[in-house]
Amino acid sequence: MSLSPENPGTAHTATPELNRRTVLKRASALGLLAVPAVGLLQACATGGGSTPQDQSTGGAKSADNPLGVDPSAALEVVIFSGGYGDTYATKYHVPLYEKAFPKAKVTESSTQDIQGTLQPRFTGGNPPDVVDNSGTKFMDFGALVGDDQLQDLTTLLDAPSVDDPNTKVRDTLVDGTVDVGTYNDKPYVLNYVFTVFGLWYNAKLFQSKGWTVPTTWADFTALMTKIKAAGITPYGYAGANAAYYQYYALLTSAAKIGGADILKNIDNLEDGAWTNDAVKQAAAAWAEVGKTFSDKSYLGLIHTQVQLKQDQDQLAVYPSGNWLENEMKDSTPASFNYAVMPIPSVTTSDKLDVSSLMAVAGEGFIVAAKGKNPKGGMEYLRRMLSKEGAKDFTTATGSLTSVNHASDGMQLSPGLSSSSDALSKAKTAFYFRFDQWYKDLDTECRAATNELFFQGGTADHFCQRMQAKADAIKKDSSITKFKR
């Protein structure tokens, strides 16, 4: 997912374990219960310097310009060019801003290497105004916050929404969206996309083979055995750049076994959080899957290479979020219908029901505090958060935003329909944040996961390795600490 100096503090975030009523409320708010139809998270950010002398001081506030943006000030936007591409920005969001401020020149660019492209600019005091800080090579959110590089988005969240001047922007968002982007009690990150994570498969293939979706680990491994016998790689992920897809699966299993507080304790760098029995059991279960039911060559492949194998029915089950369908739309044959299953229960005494899943607002957008036009950056986000902006994003990407009811009346593709169904049935939804808070812990977890899954690692070694890294970060006074 995703993703420092001293001054530890406490960030207030949403309760990690959400009851069924809240999950259903979210699903309904997102329009996830609509009738389906075919077609649907880093390195140190040190640097700084004073506020640029050429930074826009803004313009007159009005009903149409509540943030007081200078209508002629230029704006620069940089988008991560991953599963969502950047068409949603070039075709929809940039024009929305330009329509509101026709005298403003908006420059948009995209890259798959956010950190490599933009870290020198943040360090040098010349950052772009808006950044979709995502992908494998994202900038460290925690370090950016600790170095005062990010704009506090409170003004944006308290501003009137584009669609209803009597409703604040914050009140148009799905529950928990603001909290997930909050660091040390201040909102610095706008997580724009609502993601449901699980195990993806071809529903048409499963139907043709008579394979049923498993709910227990015994059923899961039995299915893996059947798939292997059919000459198809049962399970896999891309080790070269998407190991976090698999550690999401591992930590989902850990949360189901021991409860969502397992993830909260990991986030909070609690002593022994990674060596908890629930994490060990999850790691052991997935290590066996890697040993018995995957392909070691996947360690050297990138995500789209492995995903293409799945599109060609050479791979049956793949861990991912619901960005997957859109990312592969150009190579997905008519014989393939994306569907998602919750990760099966590992034990017969899991604390969370098998329906429970990882679901949270993601894809973090930031506004540079030391950019040339921070007010314009916040206004750009305000336009994105309009119903029009959110619907346009869903149209372009086949994915949902964190804007309430924005997808009402829209037709959903097979994959989005499946994820909506999974979310509506989930008794609990949960998430973690260490990947955004501590980049080095995310990096370590990717490497440790690859070792566990592809290179014969053990559950004990995985847990000890991760605990050692967490302990080192906890003891490092140069790293800003966060808590939930």
Side-chain angles (χ1 to χ4, degrees):
M1 215 187 295
S2 350
L3 353 180
S4 306
E6 181 73 6
N7 186 27
T10 300
H12 173 70
T13 63
T15 303
E17 189 168 336
L18 308 173
N19 62 33
R20 178 172 172 79
R21 179 179 297 176
T22 303
V23 171
L24 290 174
K25 177 182 177 183
R26 286 186 175 186
S28 177
L30 284 164
L32 282 170
L33 303 183
V35 178
V38 175
L40 182 23
L41 218 224
Q42 300 168 331
C44 185
T46 56
S50 59
T51 300
Q53 292 185 0
D54 58 351
Q55 186 177 72
S56 171
T57 57
K61 293 185 178 181
S62 67
D64 292 329
N65 186 11
L67 298 178
V69 177
D70 179 347
S72 62
L75 185 76
E76 183 183 2
V77 179
V78 179
I79 301 295
F80 167 65
S81 182
Y84 304 123
D86 71 336
T87 299
Y88 69 86
T90 59
K91 186 175 180 179
Y92 298 113
H93 292 166
V94 169
L96 280 178
Y97 188 91
E98 291 177 331
K99 181 178 179 181
F101 304 101
K103 295 181 180 180
K105 179 182 179 181
V106 180
T107 302
E108 188 275 349
S109 62
S110 64
T111 178
Q112 291 192 351
D113 185 1
I114 292 292
Q115 178 185 326
T117 302
L118 298 183
Q119 194 69 71
R121 294 187 57 185
F122 274 83
T123 302
N126 182 38
D129 301 299
V130 179
V131 179
D132 171 18
N133 187 31
S134 187
T136 297
K137 300 175 181 179
F138 63 94
M139 293 180 292
D140 187 330
F141 287 97
L144 289 169
V145 171
D147 199 40
D148 297 324
Q149 292 280 10
L150 301 188
Q151 176 69 37
D152 181 345
L153 300 180
T154 301
T155 303
L156 163 65
L157 296 171
D158 288 338
S161 67
V162 171
D163 300 298
D164 181 0
N166 296 315
T167 302
K168 293 180 179 180
V169 170
R170 68 171 68 246
D171 295 327
T172 68
L173 304 177
V174 176
D175 291 346
T177 300
V178 174
D179 291 330
V180 174
T182 295
Y183 295 71
N184 292 343
D185 297 322
K186 290 185 179 181
Y188 289 107
V189 182
L190 171 67
N191 289 285
Y192 188 64
V193 185
F194 196 83
T195 299
V196 175
F197 186 91
L199 304 182
W200 291 81
Y201 63 99
N202 179 2
K204 288 186 176 181
L205 175 65
F206 269 51
Q207 184 178 18
S208 70
K209 298 290 188 180
W211 296 335
T212 57
V213 172
T215 58
T216 69
W217 205 253
D219 289 342
F220 181 58
T221 55
L223 173 63
M224 297 288 100
T225 300
K226 289 180 182 178
I227 294 171
K228 188 174 182 179
I232 300 171
T233 301
Y235 186 95
Y237 71 93
N241 72 338
Y244 66 99
Y245 290 14
Q246 180 55 32
Y247 84 58
Y248 277 25
L250 190 158
L251 292 179
T252 294
S253 293
K256 287 188 174 185
I257 295 169
D261 277 352
I262 294 293
L263 305 184
K264 181 179 179 181
N265 293 339
I266 286 175
D267 285 346
N268 291 343
L269 302 177
E270 297 287 349
D271 294 342
W274 284 97
T275 54
N276 183 282
D277 284 343
V279 182
K280 286 184 180 181
Q281 290 180 67
W286 283 111
E288 187 61 30
V289 172
K291 176 182 178 181
T292 309
F293 299 116
S294 194
D295 186 331
K296 298 290 191 293
S297 70
Y298 289 8
L299 175 61
L301 301 182
I302 65 171
H303 63 301
T304 49
Q305 292 173 317
V306 177
Q307 290 161 195
L308 182 60
K309 290 179 180 293
Q310 186 180 37
D311 278 353
Q312 298 170 344
D313 286 334
Q314 298 176 35
L315 169 67
V317 181
Y318 182 77
S320 186
N322 56 355
W323 61 79
L324 175 63
E325 184 180 41
N326 180 72
E327 187 170 49
M328 300 305 292
K329 64 183 178 183
D330 292 336
S331 62
T332 304
S335 60
F336 197 107
N337 269 9
Y338 276 103
V340 65
M341 69 176 85
I343 293 174
S345 300
V346 174
T347 76
T348 57
S349 58
D350 282 7
K351 288 189 177 181
L352 299 184
D353 185 80
V354 65
S355 66
S356 301
L357 44 73
M358 190 174 294
V360 68
E363 200 73 6
F365 281 76
I366 56 177
V367 175
K370 298 172 184 177
K372 294 182 178 180
N373 191 6
K375 289 185 178 180
M378 288 192 288
E379 179 63 24
Y380 183 88
L381 298 185
R382 194 175 79 96
R383 300 284 163 175
M384 283 174 53
L385 293 170
S386 66
K387 291 282 183 66
E388 181 180 2
K391 281 191 173 184
D392 286 342
F393 180 87
T394 299
T395 297
T397 68
S399 298
L400 295 168
T401 70
S402 301
V403 180
N404 278 330
H405 301 292
S407 64
D408 288 356
M410 299 185 72
Q411 292 186 330
L412 306 182
S413 67
L416 188 52
S417 174
S418 178
S419 60
S420 74
D421 183 60
L423 182 61
S424 69
K425 292 177 180 177
K427 291 185 178 180
T428 309
F430 48 82
Y431 59 89
F432 55 80
R433 297 194 64 195
F434 76 86
D435 58 332
Q436 292 191 14
W437 287 353
Y438 309 112
K439 171 66 163 92
D440 287 349
L441 197 56
D442 164 74
T443 300
E444 186 74 0
C445 197
R446 294 176 190 229
T449 298
N450 278 343
E451 181 183 36
L452 175 76
F453 195 89
F454 289 119
Q455 299 171 312
T458 66
D460 281 342
H461 177 68
F462 172 86
C463 292
Q464 291 166 5
R465 178 176 178 175
M466 291 308 303
Q467 190 62 56
K469 189 63 176 181
D471 290 345
I473 290 172
K474 185 176 182 177
K475 294 174 183 177
D476 190 341
S477 61
S478 72
I479 300 175
T480 301
K481 309 304 190 300
F482 304 99
K483 191 175 180 67
R484 69 179 176 103

CSV table of all heavy atoms in Angstrom, one decimal, residues 41 82 154 209 220 236 246 383 396 452:
chain,number,residue,atom,x,y,z
A,41,LEU,N,-0.6,0.9,-1.1
A,41,LEU,CA,-1.2,1.5,-0.7
A,41,LEU,C,0.2,1.4,-0.7
A,41,LEU,O,1.1,1.6,-0.2
A,41,LEU,CB,-1.9,0.7,0.1
A,41,LEU,CG,-3.0,0.4,0.5
A,41,LEU,CD1,-3.5,0.2,1.0
A,41,LEU,CD2,-3.5,0.5,1.5
A,82,GLY,N,-0.7,3.6,-12.5
A,82,GLY,CA,-0.8,2.2,-12.2
A,82,GLY,C,-2.0,1.6,-12.7
A,82,GLY,O,-2.4,1.9,-13.9
A,154,THR,N,-7.6,20.2,6.6
A,154,THR,CA,-8.8,20.6,7.4
A,154,THR,C,-9.7,21.6,6.7
A,154,THR,O,-10.9,21.5,6.7
A,154,THR,CB,-8.4,21.1,8.8
A,154,THR,OG1,-7.6,20.1,9.5
A,154,THR,CG2,-9.6,21.5,9.6
A,209,LYS,N,-15.5,-25.9,-14.4
A,209,LYS,CA,-14.8,-27.0,-13.8
A,209,LYS,C,-15.6,-27.6,-12.6
A,209,LYS,O,-15.2,-28.6,-12.0
A,209,LYS,CB,-13.5,-26.5,-13.3
A,209,LYS,CG,-12.5,-26.1,-14.4
A,209,LYS,CD,-12.1,-27.2,-15.3
A,209,LYS,CE,-11.0,-26.8,-16.3
A,209,LYS,NZ,-10.5,-27.9,-17.1
A,220,PHE,N,-10.0,-25.0,1.0
A,220,PHE,CA,-9.1,-24.2,0.1
A,220,PHE,C,-8.0,-25.1,-0.4
A,220,PHE,O,-7.7,-25.1,-1.6
A,220,PHE,CB,-8.6,-23.0,0.9
A,220,PHE,CG,-7.6,-22.1,0.2
A,220,PHE,CD1,-8.1,-21.5,-1.0
A,220,PHE,CD2,-6.4,-21.8,0.6
A,220,PHE,CE1,-7.2,-20.6,-1.7
A,220,PHE,CE2,-5.5,-21.0,-0.1
A,220,PHE,CZ,-6.0,-20.4,-1.2
A,236,GLY,N,-0.8,-17.7,-6.9
A,236,GLY,CA,0.5,-17.0,-7.1
A,236,GLY,C,0.3,-15.5,-7.1
A,236,GLY,O,-0.8,-15.0,-7.2
A,246,GLN,N,0.5,-10.2,-1.4
A,246,GLN,CA,0.5,-11.4,-0.6
A,246,GLN,C,0.5,-11.1,0.9
A,246,GLN,O,-0.1,-11.8,1.7
A,246,GLN,CB,1.6,-12.3,-1.0
A,246,GLN,CG,1.7,-13.6,-0.2
A,246,GLN,CD,0.4,-14.4,-0.3
A,246,GLN,OE1,-0.4,-14.4,-1.3
A,246,GLN,NE2,0.0,-15.1,0.8
A,383,ARG,N,-13.0,19.4,-6.2
A,383,ARG,CA,-13.7,19.1,-7.5
A,383,ARG,C,-13.7,17.6,-7.7
A,383,ARG,O,-14.7,17.0,-8.2
A,383,ARG,CB,-13.0,19.8,-8.7
A,383,ARG,CG,-13.0,21.3,-8.5
A,383,ARG,CD,-14.3,21.9,-8.9
A,383,ARG,NE,-14.4,23.3,-8.4
A,383,ARG,CZ,-15.4,24.1,-8.6
A,383,ARG,NH1,-16.5,23.7,-9.3
A,383,ARG,NH2,-15.5,25.3,-8.1
A,396,ALA,N,-14.1,5.9,-15.7
A,396,ALA,CA,-12.8,5.7,-16.3
A,396,ALA,C,-12.0,4.5,-15.8
A,396,ALA,O,-11.2,3.9,-16.5
A,396,ALA,CB,-11.9,7.0,-16.1
A,452,LEU,N,9.3,-16.1,2.6
A,452,LEU,CA,8.4,-17.1,3.2
A,452,LEU,C,7.7,-17.9,2.1
A,452,LEU,O,7.6,-19.1,2.2
A,452,LEU,CB,7.4,-16.4,4.0
A,452,LEU,CG,6.2,-17.2,4.6
A,452,LEU,CD1,6.8,-18.0,5.8
A,452,LEU,CD2,5.1,-16.4,5.1
